[in-house]
Amino acid sequence: MTTWRWLAALLLALLPLSAHAEERIREFNSDVRIARNGTLTVVETIKVATEGNVIKRGILRDFPTTYRNNLGQRTTVGFDVQSVTRDGQPEAFAVENLSNGKRVRTGKADVFLDSGDHTYVITYTTNRQLRFDKDFDELYWNVTGN
């Protein structure tokens, strides 16, 4: 019976560790400013918890830039990354093409993140997100991407 108690105690002790080791987005905030010419400047703050399982070197952020407009026509919007920081420091990044948009890949291939919480700030501009109609104007923008 002592072996069963020891095994049960060990399992109960390890249970909180497995619950803690969760990689996830803890917070997502998007601050959008619209210029007179219709260009959006977006500052996204993304707080993530990392354990080195999936999030190893940085995060991936996908942005759809190809849409169908209200007439069913394919429309492509502009997208230009201004800066990326991690924990308040400049972060290496690359922008890759996707079939329907762009991907921002943060970090370096040879640098692994420390486990724990990290805050990324991605600043970018995008245009052609405003739609003008005779009855109303609309900001048509996928704020969270994919």
Side-chain angles (χ1 to χ4, degrees), residues 14 17 19 21 32 46 48 53-55 58 60 71 87 96 105 113 117 119 130 132 134 137 145:
L14 293 177
L17 293 177
V32 181
I46 305 168
V48 296
N53 298 322
V54 176
I55 304 172
L60 304 177
L71 302 175
D87 301 329
E96 303 169 354
R105 179 181 298 275
L113 293 173
D117 292 346
T119 301
L130 298 173
F132 302 98
K134 70 177 191 169
D137 298 333

Side-chain angles (χ1 to χ4, degrees), residues 52-122:
N53 298 322
V54 176
I55 304 172
K56 296 179 181 182
R57 295 171 179 85
I59 62 172
L60 304 177
R61 178 72 173 95
D62 293 354
F63 300 87
T65 57
T66 303
Y67 299 97
R68 295 273 177 205
N69 66 17
N70 54 349
L71 302 175
Q73 301 165 326
R74 186 178 170 147
T75 301
T76 302
V77 300
F79 177 79
D80 185 40
V81 177
Q82 306 299 305
S83 66
V84 176
T85 64
R86 177 175 48 90
D87 301 329
Q89 299 299 313
E91 178 77 343
F93 70 92
V95 179
E96 303 169 354
N97 290 320
L98 299 174
S99 62
N100 71 330
K102 304 287 184 179
R103 169 173 286 164
V104 177
R105 179 181 298 275
T106 69
K108 294 181 179 178
D110 59 343
V111 177
F112 288 89
L113 293 173
D114 292 333
S115 293
D117 292 346
H118 295 283
T119 301
Y120 289 86
V121 177
I122 303 173

